Amino acid sequence: VTLARVSRHDGLIDWFTSMASEIRDLAYESGDHFTVTGRKIQLCVQALEEVEQYDLVDRDVQVKTFLQESRDLLLQMARAVGINESITEDIKFISDISYGVESMKSYVKIIHSRISKDPSNVNLLQGFFLKLSSSLDGPVVRLKQLNSPKVERVTGYYSSQLVAFVRNVLEIVPVSVFGILVQISDIFERRLQRLPLKIQGDKLGAFAQLGERYKLSMMAHEISIFADGVLSMDNSIIG
């Protein structure tokens, strides 16, 4: 059953409109206790579970999917509300990798090898680079405490070192992409048969070359994975 074919129910329309207003009004101010906001979110989740008991809602798979997604997002909000400053500091110390920056350079070849074998590993680089960006705080923490005028210069130096490392890691992406393009070009130019202007139906199968076309589709898919992985890092601020 599509949404367009579901009959109008004014009662449910009013209820969902009211629920949407309650969710928009959810706010967590610095002076509020997280349990109060968390309780409000839990009540919203409970209400979205109870509304599924209505036959009109229970019969519509799309509506139930939307409700499940909404509940999942609300539960994420509830977990986020419970994160206080102490937890934030703990995460900061745990995720600090300033001690291992130099050792990371020895892993570049391994990273390149893994990306060459499986392009989906590019998607893991964003988290890796963001974790490395924490190394910028260590060298200047004391300078900031002393209000030293050299903070900007020192930060700029370590930022340039980090950016150089990121470029070194990412250089495998264009190398891999152009390597795949060379293979695609080779298939087009040397392996795929040219289709004549006229061809008999019983001979069409000989020109299909399903194996070669499958390789082309797989290589095009690999290039798209590389592109998605790089584009996902477009808004990441590093260095």
Side-chain angles (χ1 to χ4, degrees):
V1 181
T2 61
L3 289 176
R5 297 178 183 175
V6 176
S7 57
R8 181 183 178 88
H9 192 291
D10 292 332
L12 285 176
I13 291 175
D14 293 339
W15 187 88
F16 278 111
T17 301
S18 175
M19 177 57 61
S21 177
E22 289 187 27
I23 293 175
R24 279 195 298 268
D25 292 338
L26 288 174
Y28 180 59
E29 304 295 340
S30 58
D32 298 339
H33 198 278
F34 71 90
T35 55
V36 176
T37 305
R39 179 58 181 166
K40 292 179 181 178
I41 296 174
Q42 290 290 348
L43 290 174
C44 291
V45 172
Q46 183 179 349
L48 292 177
E49 290 176 345
E50 293 175 351
V51 77
E52 283 193 13
Q53 304 303 318
Y54 287 91
D55 183 63
L56 185 63
V57 176
D58 187 57
R59 286 188 288 109
D60 196 305
V61 177
Q62 280 185 299
V63 173
K64 293 179 69 174
T65 301
F66 294 150
L67 289 174
Q68 182 61 51
E69 291 176 354
S70 299
R71 290 197 297 270
D72 291 342
L73 292 172
L74 286 170
L75 290 174
Q76 289 184 24
M77 291 171 59
R79 288 191 288 267
V81 166
I83 299 176
N84 53 34
E85 186 175 351
S86 175
I87 295 176
T88 304
E89 287 297 317
D90 290 342
I91 293 175
K92 180 180 178 181
F93 286 118
I94 293 171
S95 61
D96 182 20
I97 199 174
S98 56
Y99 63 89
V101 172
E102 291 300 320
S103 63
M104 288 296 103
K105 297 178 182 179
S106 61
Y107 288 92
V108 173
K109 291 184 179 179
I110 298 175
I111 295 172
H112 285 179
S113 176
R114 291 192 60 180
I115 292 175
S116 298
K117 294 177 181 178
D118 184 2
S120 63
N121 285 317
V122 174
N123 296 318
L124 303 176
L125 292 179
Q126 182 180 18
F128 174 59
F129 292 150
L130 290 175
K131 189 174 181 68
L132 280 177
S133 64
S134 66
S135 64
L136 298 176
D137 298 329
V140 296
V141 62
R142 296 303 181 191
L143 294 176
K144 288 181 178 179
Q145 292 175 350
L146 296 172
N147 294 322
S148 173
K150 297 182 180 180
V151 171
E152 185 175 349
R153 184 185 305 174
V154 175
T155 303
Y157 169 77
Y158 283 101
S159 294
S160 64
Q161 294 295 309
L162 177 59
V163 171
F165 176 78
V166 171
R167 288 175 177 171
N168 188 19
V169 172
L170 288 178
E171 70 179 11
I172 189 61
V173 174
V175 170
S176 299
V177 169
F178 280 105
I180 294 172
L181 289 174
V182 169
Q183 297 179 53
I184 291 176
S185 177
D186 180 68
I187 292 176
F188 271 116
E189 296 297 329
R190 299 185 180 183
R191 303 184 192 178
L192 285 184
Q193 300 181 51
R194 301 295 181 181
L195 289 175
L197 295 177
K198 294 182 180 180
I199 184 173
Q200 296 180 4
D202 58 344
K203 296 182 179 180
L204 187 60
F207 290 91
Q209 296 182 268
L210 299 180
E212 300 299 333
R213 298 187 186 279
Y214 174 75
K215 291 178 183 178
L216 283 174
S217 63
M218 290 299 296
M219 287 188 284
H221 177 61
E222 289 181 358
I223 291 177
S224 70
I225 293 176
F226 277 121
D228 289 339
V230 173
L231 287 175
S232 67
M233 293 182 277
D234 188 45
N235 295 325
S236 301
I237 301 175
I238 302 172

